[in-house]
Amino acid sequence: MNAKERIARRIAREVKDGFYVNLGIGLPTMIASYLPAGLDVVFQSENGMLGVGPPPAEAEADPDLINAGKQPVTELPGCSYFGSDESFAMIRGGHMDMSVLGAMQVDEAGNLANWTIPGKMVKGMGGAMDLVAGARRVIVAMEHQTKEGESRILKLCSLPLTGTGVVHDIVTELAWIRVTPEGLLLTEIAEGISPDEVQARTEAALSFAPNLVTMSVL
Amino acid sequence: MLGGFGLCGIPENLIAALVRRRITGLHTISNNMGVDGFGMGLMLEAGMIASHIGSYVGENRRLEQMVLKGELNLTLIPQGTLAERVRAGGAGIPAFYVPTGLGTVVAEGKETREIGGRTYVLETALRADVALVKAWKGDRLGNLVYRKTARNFNPVMATAAAMTIAEVEELVEPGQLDPDQIVTPGIYVKRIVVGENYRKPIESRFIKEQMAGGAA
Protein backbone atom coordinates (compact mmCIF):
# COMPACT_ATOMS: atom_id res chain seq x y z
CA MET A 1 0.00 0.00 0.00
CA ASN A 2 1.57 3.30 -1.02
CA ALA A 3 1.46 6.53 0.99
CA LYS A 4 -1.47 8.05 -0.87
CA GLU A 5 -3.59 4.95 -0.49
CA ARG A 6 -2.86 4.78 3.25
CA ILE A 7 -3.99 8.39 3.64
CA ALA A 8 -7.13 7.89 1.56
CA ARG A 9 -8.06 4.70 3.43
CA ARG A 10 -7.64 6.34 6.83
CA ILE A 11 -9.74 9.38 5.96
CA ALA A 12 -12.44 7.15 4.45
CA ARG A 13 -12.98 5.76 7.95
CA GLU A 14 -13.67 9.27 9.22
CA VAL A 15 -16.63 9.79 6.90
CA LYS A 16 -19.88 9.27 8.79
CA ASP A 17 -23.28 8.05 7.67
CA GLY A 18 -25.38 10.88 6.27
CA PHE A 19 -22.46 13.17 5.49
CA TYR A 20 -22.31 15.55 2.56
CA VAL A 21 -18.66 15.60 1.50
CA ASN A 22 -16.56 17.51 -1.02
CA LEU A 23 -13.34 15.81 -2.08
CA GLY A 24 -10.55 17.81 -3.65
CA ILE A 25 -8.72 16.90 -6.83
CA GLY A 26 -6.07 14.15 -6.72
CA LEU A 27 -5.47 12.18 -3.53
CA PRO A 28 -8.74 13.26 -1.81
CA THR A 29 -10.77 11.89 -4.74
CA MET A 30 -9.38 8.42 -3.93
CA ILE A 31 -11.22 8.43 -0.59
CA ALA A 32 -14.53 7.64 -2.28
CA SER A 33 -13.17 4.23 -3.35
CA TYR A 34 -12.39 3.16 0.23
CA LEU A 35 -15.62 4.04 2.01
CA PRO A 36 -16.83 1.34 4.37
CA ALA A 37 -19.80 -0.54 2.89
CA GLY A 38 -23.28 0.50 3.93
CA LEU A 39 -22.56 4.17 4.51
CA ASP A 40 -25.00 6.65 3.07
CA VAL A 41 -22.71 9.46 1.93
CA VAL A 42 -23.39 12.11 -0.71
CA PHE A 43 -20.40 13.49 -2.58
CA GLN A 44 -20.59 17.02 -3.91
CA SER A 45 -18.61 18.27 -6.86
CA GLU A 46 -18.28 22.04 -6.94
CA ASN A 47 -18.88 22.27 -10.68
CA GLY A 48 -22.51 21.59 -9.83
CA MET A 49 -23.49 18.11 -8.71
CA LEU A 50 -24.62 16.25 -5.61
CA GLY A 51 -24.62 12.46 -5.68
CA VAL A 52 -21.44 11.92 -7.68
CA GLY A 53 -20.93 8.27 -8.62
CA PRO A 54 -17.80 6.30 -9.57
CA PRO A 55 -16.02 6.71 -12.92
CA PRO A 56 -17.79 5.13 -15.92
CA ALA A 57 -16.40 2.53 -18.27
CA GLU A 58 -14.37 4.26 -20.96
CA ALA A 59 -17.10 3.82 -23.59
CA GLU A 60 -19.81 5.27 -21.36
CA ALA A 61 -17.98 8.50 -20.48
CA ASP A 62 -20.26 11.51 -21.03
CA PRO A 63 -18.45 14.82 -21.65
CA ASP A 64 -21.39 16.65 -20.03
CA LEU A 65 -20.89 14.69 -16.81
CA ILE A 66 -17.58 15.42 -15.10
CA ASN A 67 -16.29 16.11 -11.61
CA ALA A 68 -14.28 19.13 -10.51
CA GLY A 69 -11.11 17.30 -11.56
CA LYS A 70 -12.60 17.26 -15.08
CA GLN A 71 -12.78 13.48 -15.00
CA PRO A 72 -15.87 11.64 -16.24
CA VAL A 73 -18.15 10.42 -13.44
CA THR A 74 -21.58 8.80 -13.17
CA GLU A 75 -24.92 9.56 -11.54
CA LEU A 76 -26.06 7.89 -8.35
CA PRO A 77 -29.81 7.58 -7.71
CA GLY A 78 -31.04 10.84 -6.17
CA CYS A 79 -28.28 12.95 -7.64
CA SER A 80 -28.93 16.55 -8.65
CA TYR A 81 -27.38 19.25 -10.82
CA PHE A 82 -27.15 22.97 -10.18
CA GLY A 83 -25.26 26.04 -11.30
CA SER A 84 -21.93 27.27 -9.89
CA ASP A 85 -23.55 30.04 -7.83
CA GLU A 86 -25.84 27.56 -6.09
CA SER A 87 -22.96 25.10 -5.67
CA PHE A 88 -20.91 27.64 -3.76
CA ALA A 89 -23.92 28.92 -1.85
CA MET A 90 -24.17 25.44 -0.33
CA ILE A 91 -20.41 25.35 0.27
CA ARG A 92 -20.11 28.83 1.74
CA GLY A 93 -23.38 28.43 3.60
CA GLY A 94 -21.98 25.68 5.81
CA HIS A 95 -23.91 22.76 4.33
CA MET A 96 -20.85 20.58 3.69
CA ASP A 97 -20.07 18.28 6.61
CA MET A 98 -16.56 17.67 5.40
CA SER A 99 -14.09 19.00 2.88
CA VAL A 100 -10.86 17.13 2.14
CA LEU A 101 -8.14 18.99 0.26
CA GLY A 102 -4.55 18.54 -0.74
CA ALA A 103 -1.94 21.03 0.40
CA MET A 104 1.53 22.30 -0.33
CA GLN A 105 1.95 23.68 3.20
CA VAL A 106 0.03 23.74 6.49
CA ASP A 107 1.18 25.45 9.66
CA GLU A 108 0.71 25.42 13.42
CA ALA A 109 -2.16 27.91 13.27
CA GLY A 110 -4.12 25.81 10.77
CA ASN A 111 -3.19 28.10 7.89
CA LEU A 112 -3.24 26.40 4.50
CA ALA A 113 -1.33 27.11 1.27
CA ASN A 114 -2.22 25.11 -1.82
CA TRP A 115 -2.80 27.29 -4.84
CA THR A 116 0.28 29.05 -6.14
CA ILE A 117 4.07 29.33 -6.01
CA PRO A 118 5.03 32.91 -6.86
CA GLY A 119 7.24 33.16 -9.93
CA LYS A 120 6.99 29.43 -10.61
CA MET A 121 3.49 28.09 -10.76
CA VAL A 122 0.26 29.79 -11.79
CA LYS A 123 -2.69 27.52 -11.10
CA GLY A 124 -5.34 29.31 -9.15
CA MET A 125 -7.34 28.55 -6.05
CA GLY A 126 -10.38 27.18 -7.85
CA GLY A 127 -12.93 26.45 -5.13
CA ALA A 128 -10.42 25.78 -2.36
CA MET A 129 -10.74 29.16 -0.62
CA ASP A 130 -14.54 28.85 -0.58
CA LEU A 131 -14.42 25.27 0.69
CA VAL A 132 -12.10 26.00 3.61
CA ALA A 133 -14.13 29.08 4.54
CA GLY A 134 -17.43 27.22 4.49
CA ALA A 135 -17.08 23.53 5.32
CA ARG A 136 -17.81 22.42 8.86
CA ARG A 137 -14.69 20.27 8.99
CA VAL A 138 -11.61 20.75 6.84
CA ILE A 139 -9.16 17.86 6.52
CA VAL A 140 -5.86 18.23 4.73
CA ALA A 141 -4.71 15.04 3.02
CA MET A 142 -1.11 15.07 1.85
CA GLU A 143 2.16 13.23 1.93
CA HIS A 144 4.12 14.18 5.02
CA GLN A 145 7.15 15.61 3.22
CA THR A 146 7.98 16.93 -0.23
CA LYS A 147 9.78 14.73 -2.74
CA GLU A 148 12.94 16.53 -1.63
CA GLY A 149 12.29 15.43 1.96
CA GLU A 150 11.27 18.86 3.24
CA SER A 151 8.54 19.28 5.81
CA ARG A 152 5.15 20.44 4.58
CA ILE A 153 3.91 21.00 8.12
CA LEU A 154 5.57 24.25 9.09
CA LYS A 155 5.75 26.75 11.92
CA LEU A 156 4.46 29.33 9.46
CA CYS A 157 3.44 28.86 5.82
CA SER A 158 5.76 30.66 3.41
CA LEU A 159 3.55 30.36 0.31
CA PRO A 160 0.49 32.56 -0.35
CA LEU A 161 -2.36 31.33 1.82
CA THR A 162 -5.62 29.68 0.84
CA GLY A 163 -7.15 30.35 4.23
CA THR A 164 -6.15 31.39 7.74
CA GLY A 165 -6.92 29.17 10.71
CA VAL A 166 -9.14 26.94 8.59
CA VAL A 167 -7.63 23.45 8.91
CA HIS A 168 -9.02 21.09 11.54
CA ASP A 169 -6.98 17.96 10.82
CA ILE A 170 -3.86 16.99 8.87
CA VAL A 171 -3.60 13.40 7.68
CA THR A 172 -0.40 12.02 6.21
CA GLU A 173 0.97 8.52 5.67
CA LEU A 174 2.77 8.91 9.02
CA ALA A 175 0.26 10.54 11.29
CA TRP A 176 -3.07 12.10 12.17
CA ILE A 177 -2.45 15.58 13.51
CA ARG A 178 -5.18 17.72 14.98
CA VAL A 179 -4.99 21.51 14.88
CA THR A 180 -5.90 22.83 18.34
CA PRO A 181 -5.82 26.32 19.88
CA GLU A 182 -2.66 25.15 21.68
CA GLY A 183 -0.96 24.01 18.48
CA LEU A 184 -0.57 20.71 16.66
CA LEU A 185 -1.52 17.52 18.48
CA LEU A 186 -0.33 14.13 17.27
CA THR A 187 -3.24 11.76 17.89
CA GLU A 188 -2.48 8.78 15.65
CA ILE A 189 0.70 7.39 14.31
CA ALA A 190 1.54 4.89 11.59
CA GLU A 191 2.67 1.45 12.63
CA GLY A 192 6.41 1.05 13.01
CA ILE A 193 7.33 4.69 13.59
CA SER A 194 7.86 6.58 16.83
CA PRO A 195 6.43 9.99 17.78
CA ASP A 196 9.98 11.38 17.88
CA GLU A 197 10.56 10.21 14.30
CA VAL A 198 7.37 11.99 13.18
CA GLN A 199 8.58 15.12 14.95
CA ALA A 200 11.98 14.82 13.29
CA ARG A 201 10.28 14.89 9.92
CA THR A 202 8.04 17.84 10.85
CA GLU A 203 9.16 21.46 11.12
CA ALA A 204 6.20 22.51 13.27
CA ALA A 205 6.21 21.64 16.95
CA LEU A 206 4.02 18.65 17.78
CA SER A 207 2.63 17.69 21.13
CA PHE A 208 1.81 14.04 21.67
CA ALA A 209 -1.67 13.06 22.76
CA PRO A 210 -1.64 10.98 25.97
CA ASN A 211 -3.94 8.47 24.28
CA LEU A 212 -1.87 8.31 21.09
CA VAL A 213 -2.98 5.31 19.01
CA THR A 214 -1.75 3.43 15.97
CA MET A 215 -3.31 4.63 12.74
CA SER A 216 -5.58 1.98 11.29
CA VAL A 217 -5.96 1.99 7.53
CA LEU A 218 -8.14 -1.10 7.10
CA MET B 1 -17.93 36.56 -19.95
CA LEU B 2 -17.85 32.91 -21.02
CA GLY B 3 -19.65 29.99 -19.40
CA GLY B 4 -18.17 26.57 -18.85
CA PHE B 5 -16.13 24.59 -16.35
CA GLY B 6 -12.93 23.33 -17.86
CA LEU B 7 -14.01 22.20 -21.32
CA CYS B 8 -17.46 21.15 -20.09
CA GLY B 9 -20.36 23.34 -21.18
CA ILE B 10 -18.25 25.84 -23.09
CA PRO B 11 -19.69 27.71 -26.09
CA GLU B 12 -17.46 25.96 -28.63
CA ASN B 13 -19.07 27.48 -31.72
CA LEU B 14 -19.17 31.02 -30.35
CA ILE B 15 -15.49 30.79 -29.38
CA ALA B 16 -14.67 29.53 -32.88
CA ALA B 17 -16.59 32.46 -34.38
CA LEU B 18 -14.69 34.93 -32.20
CA VAL B 19 -11.39 33.40 -33.22
CA ARG B 20 -12.37 33.65 -36.91
CA ARG B 21 -13.05 37.37 -36.43
CA ARG B 22 -9.78 37.94 -34.54
CA ILE B 23 -11.27 40.44 -32.15
CA THR B 24 -8.43 41.62 -29.92
CA GLY B 25 -8.07 43.45 -26.63
CA LEU B 26 -10.75 41.36 -24.93
CA HIS B 27 -11.18 41.41 -21.19
CA THR B 28 -12.47 37.96 -20.36
CA ILE B 29 -14.21 36.53 -17.31
CA SER B 30 -14.45 32.75 -17.15
CA ASN B 31 -13.71 30.12 -14.55
CA ASN B 32 -10.92 28.57 -16.63
CA MET B 33 -9.01 29.36 -19.80
CA GLY B 34 -9.53 26.17 -21.79
CA VAL B 35 -6.44 24.11 -22.49
CA ASP B 36 -3.60 24.51 -24.95
CA GLY B 37 -5.29 24.06 -28.33
CA PHE B 38 -8.96 24.10 -27.34
CA GLY B 39 -11.68 26.29 -25.87
CA MET B 40 -10.48 29.70 -24.71
CA GLY B 41 -6.94 28.45 -25.22
CA LEU B 42 -7.58 29.20 -28.93
CA MET B 43 -8.40 32.83 -28.10
CA LEU B 44 -5.29 33.10 -25.99
CA GLU B 45 -3.11 31.64 -28.75
CA ALA B 46 -4.63 34.06 -31.27
CA GLY B 47 -3.53 36.96 -29.05
CA MET B 48 -7.09 38.13 -28.47
CA ILE B 49 -7.11 38.36 -24.68
CA ALA B 50 -5.77 41.43 -22.88
CA SER B 51 -6.87 40.50 -19.38
CA HIS B 52 -8.60 37.62 -17.66
CA ILE B 53 -10.49 37.05 -14.43
CA GLY B 54 -10.89 33.41 -13.42
CA SER B 55 -10.34 30.94 -10.60
CA TYR B 56 -8.20 28.18 -12.08
CA VAL B 57 -5.92 28.11 -15.11
CA GLY B 58 -3.79 25.12 -14.20
CA GLU B 59 -4.52 23.25 -17.42
CA ASN B 60 -3.12 25.92 -19.68
CA ARG B 61 0.65 25.93 -19.91
CA ARG B 62 0.81 28.71 -22.47
CA LEU B 63 -1.14 31.01 -20.20
CA GLU B 64 1.16 30.22 -17.28
CA GLN B 65 4.17 31.18 -19.40
CA MET B 66 2.50 34.42 -20.53
CA VAL B 67 1.63 35.39 -16.97
CA LEU B 68 5.11 34.59 -15.66
CA LYS B 69 6.55 36.77 -18.46
CA GLY B 70 4.07 39.56 -17.68
CA GLU B 71 2.35 39.33 -21.08
CA LEU B 72 -1.14 38.83 -19.71
CA ASN B 73 -2.97 40.55 -16.90
CA LEU B 74 -4.46 37.65 -14.92
CA THR B 75 -6.62 38.02 -11.82
CA LEU B 76 -7.32 34.82 -9.91
CA ILE B 77 -10.25 34.86 -7.51
CA PRO B 78 -12.03 32.13 -5.55
CA GLN B 79 -14.49 30.17 -7.67
CA GLY B 80 -17.44 30.76 -5.35
CA THR B 81 -16.66 34.46 -5.12
CA LEU B 82 -16.52 34.57 -8.93
CA ALA B 83 -19.92 32.88 -9.19
CA GLU B 84 -21.48 35.13 -6.57
CA ARG B 85 -19.98 38.32 -8.03
CA VAL B 86 -21.56 37.41 -11.36
CA ARG B 87 -24.84 36.53 -9.66
CA ALA B 88 -24.79 39.89 -7.88
CA GLY B 89 -24.03 41.61 -11.18
CA GLY B 90 -27.12 40.12 -12.73
CA ALA B 91 -29.29 40.68 -9.67
CA GLY B 92 -28.64 44.39 -9.10
CA ILE B 93 -26.58 43.87 -5.95
CA PRO B 94 -23.48 46.10 -6.09
CA ALA B 95 -21.48 44.35 -3.36
CA PHE B 96 -21.73 41.73 -0.62
CA TYR B 97 -19.70 40.23 2.22
CA VAL B 98 -18.12 36.77 2.17
CA PRO B 99 -15.87 34.88 4.60
CA THR B 100 -13.83 33.54 1.66
CA GLY B 101 -10.20 34.59 1.35
CA LEU B 102 -9.94 36.49 4.61
CA GLY B 103 -6.27 36.93 5.50
CA THR B 104 -5.12 35.97 1.99
CA VAL B 105 -4.02 38.01 -1.04
CA VAL B 106 -7.55 38.04 -2.43
CA ALA B 107 -8.68 40.18 0.51
CA GLU B 108 -5.82 42.67 0.21
CA GLY B 109 -7.03 46.25 -0.14
CA LYS B 110 -10.65 45.23 0.38
CA GLU B 111 -12.99 46.52 3.05
CA THR B 112 -13.64 44.03 5.87
CA ARG B 113 -16.35 44.07 8.45
CA GLU B 114 -17.19 42.08 11.54
CA ILE B 115 -20.73 40.75 11.54
CA GLY B 116 -21.93 38.47 14.33
CA GLY B 117 -18.40 37.83 15.59
CA ARG B 118 -16.88 36.78 12.26
CA THR B 119 -14.94 38.97 9.85
CA TYR B 120 -16.03 39.19 6.23
CA VAL B 121 -14.57 40.65 3.04
CA LEU B 122 -16.50 43.02 0.80
CA GLU B 123 -16.71 41.80 -2.79
CA THR B 124 -18.19 43.76 -5.68
CA ALA B 125 -20.47 42.66 -8.50
CA LEU B 126 -19.19 41.67 -11.93
CA ARG B 127 -20.95 42.43 -15.21
CA ALA B 128 -19.85 42.20 -18.83
CA ASP B 129 -20.70 43.77 -22.16
CA VAL B 130 -21.23 40.33 -23.65
CA ALA B 131 -21.90 36.89 -22.16
CA LEU B 132 -21.39 33.79 -24.29
CA VAL B 133 -23.18 30.81 -22.79
CA LYS B 134 -23.84 27.24 -23.80
CA ALA B 135 -27.09 25.40 -23.15
CA TRP B 136 -28.47 22.04 -24.23
CA LYS B 137 -31.81 23.19 -25.63
CA GLY B 138 -33.32 26.58 -26.11
CA ASP B 139 -36.35 28.15 -27.76
CA ARG B 140 -36.79 31.28 -29.86
CA LEU B 141 -37.72 33.27 -26.75
CA GLY B 142 -34.32 32.47 -25.23
CA ASN B 143 -35.54 30.01 -22.61
CA LEU B 144 -32.71 27.59 -21.86
CA VAL B 145 -32.25 24.17 -20.31
CA TYR B 146 -28.91 22.57 -19.56
CA ARG B 147 -27.58 19.06 -19.43
CA LYS B 148 -25.88 17.55 -16.37
CA THR B 149 -22.69 19.30 -15.21
CA ALA B 150 -22.51 21.31 -18.44
CA ARG B 151 -24.73 23.82 -16.60
CA ASN B 152 -22.02 25.23 -14.26
CA PHE B 153 -21.43 28.97 -14.85
CA ASN B 154 -23.75 29.30 -17.84
CA PRO B 155 -27.05 30.26 -16.16
CA VAL B 156 -25.50 32.80 -13.82
CA MET B 157 -23.42 34.42 -16.57
CA ALA B 158 -26.49 34.65 -18.79
CA THR B 159 -27.92 37.13 -16.27
CA ALA B 160 -24.94 39.48 -16.00
CA ALA B 161 -24.25 40.99 -19.42
CA ALA B 162 -25.71 43.70 -21.64
CA MET B 163 -25.75 41.22 -24.53
CA THR B 164 -26.18 37.54 -23.73
CA ILE B 165 -25.69 35.17 -26.65
CA ALA B 166 -26.67 31.55 -26.09
CA GLU B 167 -25.39 28.65 -28.11
CA VAL B 168 -27.62 25.57 -28.01
CA GLU B 169 -27.44 22.05 -29.37
CA GLU B 170 -31.09 22.07 -30.24
CA LEU B 171 -33.43 24.99 -30.97
CA VAL B 172 -37.12 24.32 -30.41
CA GLU B 173 -40.35 26.28 -30.73
CA PRO B 174 -41.79 28.14 -27.72
CA GLY B 175 -43.96 25.75 -25.75
CA GLN B 176 -41.84 22.72 -26.45
CA LEU B 177 -39.67 23.11 -23.35
CA ASP B 178 -41.40 22.16 -20.09
CA PRO B 179 -41.80 25.53 -18.32
CA ASP B 180 -41.07 23.81 -15.00
CA GLN B 181 -37.67 22.68 -16.29
CA ILE B 182 -36.43 26.00 -17.70
CA VAL B 183 -33.32 27.14 -15.84
CA THR B 184 -32.60 30.38 -17.71
CA PRO B 185 -35.77 32.33 -18.50
CA GLY B 186 -35.65 33.98 -21.92
CA ILE B 187 -35.61 37.52 -20.53
CA TYR B 188 -31.84 37.25 -20.05
CA VAL B 189 -31.00 36.01 -23.54
CA LYS B 190 -30.75 38.43 -26.48
CA ARG B 191 -29.48 36.12 -29.22
CA ILE B 192 -29.59 32.37 -29.71
CA VAL B 193 -27.65 30.25 -32.18
CA VAL B 194 -27.58 26.55 -32.94
CA GLY B 195 -24.11 25.07 -32.56
CA GLU B 196 -22.75 22.28 -34.69
CA ASN B 197 -19.94 19.73 -34.79
CA TYR B 198 -19.50 19.57 -31.05
CA ARG B 199 -16.16 18.14 -30.04
CA LYS B 200 -16.73 18.15 -26.27
CA PRO B 201 -13.34 16.73 -25.36
CA ILE B 202 -13.12 15.17 -21.92
CA GLU B 203 -10.29 17.08 -20.39
CA SER B 204 -8.65 14.41 -18.30
CA ARG B 205 -8.65 12.14 -21.33
CA PHE B 206 -7.57 15.03 -23.57
CA ILE B 207 -4.56 15.66 -21.38
CA LYS B 208 -3.74 11.96 -21.35
CA GLU B 209 -3.73 11.92 -25.15
CA GLN B 210 -1.48 14.95 -25.24
CA MET B 211 0.91 13.27 -22.88
CA ALA B 212 0.85 10.07 -24.91
CA GLY B 213 1.73 12.21 -27.92
CA GLY B 214 4.85 13.34 -26.15
CA ALA B 215 3.75 16.93 -25.64
CA ALA B 216 3.77 16.69 -21.87
Side-chain angles (χ1 to χ4, degrees), chain A:
Chain A
M1 196 186 300
N2 67 28
K4 286 179 179 174
E5 187 181 336
R6 292 180 74 89
I7 298 164
R9 281 182 181 273
R10 175 59 190 89
I11 297 173
R13 293 181 48 241
E14 203 66 14
V15 178
K16 301 284 182 285
D17 198 47
F19 266 23
Y20 288 90
V21 178
N22 182 292
L23 300 177
I25 296 166
L27 196 174
T29 303
M30 294 165 61
I31 293 167
S33 330
Y34 301 121
L35 275 195
L39 279 193
D40 215 355
V41 175
V42 179
F43 289 108
Q44 197 250 19
S45 191
E46 64 265 27
N47 53 321
M49 182 181 190
L50 275 167
V52 178
E58 184 77 14
E60 270 124 54
D62 180 343
D64 288 342
L65 179 46
I66 61 165
N67 64 15
K70 287 108 179 175
Q71 298 159 318
V73 292
T74 52
E75 297 177 336
L76 288 180
C79 75
S80 57
Y81 299 112
F82 33 84
S84 301
D85 51 329
E86 169 111 48
S87 180
F88 283 94
M90 71 180 69
I91 287 168
R92 202 187 302 102
H95 303 276
M96 288 298 130
D97 294 294
M98 185 187 280
S99 167
V100 186
L101 302 93
M104 296 193 276
Q105 298 178 341
V106 192
D107 69 23
E108 292 178 1
N111 298 324
L112 166 69
N114 74 351
W115 68 278
T116 188
I117 304 172
K120 273 192 193 161
M121 186 192 82
V122 183
K123 271 171 54 158
M125 61 290 283
M129 286 193 179
D130 311 275
L131 282 158
V132 299
R136 287 208 275 267
R137 187 171 181 199
V138 175
I139 299 179
V140 162
M142 63 176 187
E143 291 178 89
H144 203 88
Q145 291 164 293
T146 65
K147 286 193 187 80
E148 291 74 35
E150 286 163 13
S151 178
R152 285 186 161 130
I153 306 170
L154 308 174
K155 291 187 188 305
L156 200 61
C157 290
S158 58
L159 293 171
L161 296 178
T162 307
T164 52
V166 291
V167 177
H168 298 103
D169 299 275
I170 306 162
V171 185
T172 76
E173 74 280 19
L174 300 183
W176 188 294
I177 297 167
R178 203 183 302 155
V179 181
T180 76
E182 292 76 40
L184 301 181
L185 183 69
L186 183 66
T187 60
E188 290 182 27
I189 191 162
E191 207 172 296
I193 185 168
S194 73
D196 288 335
E197 282 174 275
V198 175
Q199 178 64 80
R201 291 161 75 167
T202 309
E203 184 199 283
L206 303 175
S207 52
F208 305 148
N211 53 345
L212 185 68
V213 294
T214 301
M215 195 155 82
S216 164
V217 292
L218 292 176

Side-chain angles (χ1 to χ4, degrees), chain A residues 62 64 75 122-123 126 133, chain B residues 57 64 79 118 147-149:
Chain A
D62 180 343
D64 288 342
E75 297 177 336
V122 183
K123 271 171 54 158
Chain B
V57 293
E64 186 170 53
Q79 195 173 139
R118 192 171 177 189
R147 187 169 177 274
K148 304 184 189 287
T149 56

Side-chain angles (χ1 to χ4, degrees), chain B residues 170-189:
Chain B
E170 193 182 333
L171 183 65
V172 300
E173 288 303 308
Q176 286 185 266
L177 297 174
D178 178 353
D180 272 332
Q181 306 299 321
I182 290 168
V183 174
T184 296
I187 189 170
Y188 297 114
V189 179

Side-chain angles (χ1 to χ4, degrees), chain B residues 139-199:
Chain B
D139 68 22
R140 285 190 296 100
L141 297 177
N143 294 307
L144 304 176
V145 296
Y146 302 87
R147 187 169 177 274
K148 304 184 189 287
T149 56
R151 183 184 307 196
N152 56 63
F153 279 88
N154 287 299
V156 77
M157 287 188 167
T159 69
M163 165 62 75
T164 292
I165 306 174
E167 165 179 344
V168 297
E169 293 181 42
E170 193 182 333
L171 183 65
V172 300
E173 288 303 308
Q176 286 185 266
L177 297 174
D178 178 353
D180 272 332
Q181 306 299 321
I182 290 168
V183 174
T184 296
I187 189 170
Y188 297 114
V189 179
K190 303 290 188 289
R191 302 282 188 275
I192 192 161
V193 297
V194 183
E196 53 188 19
N197 300 324
Y198 281 98
R199 279 185 53 192

Side-chain angles (χ1 to χ4, degrees), chain B residues 65-197:
Chain B
Q65 291 309 314
M66 287 174 75
V67 171
L68 292 174
K69 285 186 204 152
E71 295 169 359
L72 181 90
N73 178 5
L74 172 71
T75 307
L76 291 167
I77 62 175
Q79 195 173 139
T81 298
L82 172 63
E84 192 62 15
R85 287 179 69 186
V86 174
R87 196 192 77 81
I93 299 168
F96 54 91
Y97 287 101
V98 287
T100 315
L102 184 72
T104 75
V105 292
V106 306
E108 275 174 16
K110 290 177 184 162
E111 189 185 320
T112 59
R113 182 169 168 180
E114 195 183 309
I115 303 170
R118 192 171 177 189
T119 307
Y120 296 89
V121 182
L122 187 72
E123 295 284 359
T124 54
L126 274 175
R127 284 187 63 87
D129 297 316
V130 179
L132 305 180
V133 303
K134 160 71 175 48
W136 181 33
K137 293 180 186 176
D139 68 22
R140 285 190 296 100
L141 297 177
N143 294 307
L144 304 176
V145 296
Y146 302 87
R147 187 169 177 274
K148 304 184 189 287
T149 56
R151 183 184 307 196
N152 56 63
F153 279 88
N154 287 299
V156 77
M157 287 188 167
T159 69
M163 165 62 75
T164 292
I165 306 174
E167 165 179 344
V168 297
E169 293 181 42
E170 193 182 333
L171 183 65
V172 300
E173 288 303 308
Q176 286 185 266
L177 297 174
D178 178 353
D180 272 332
Q181 306 299 321
I182 290 168
V183 174
T184 296
I187 189 170
Y188 297 114
V189 179
K190 303 290 188 289
R191 302 282 188 275
I192 192 161
V193 297
V194 183
E196 53 188 19
N197 300 324

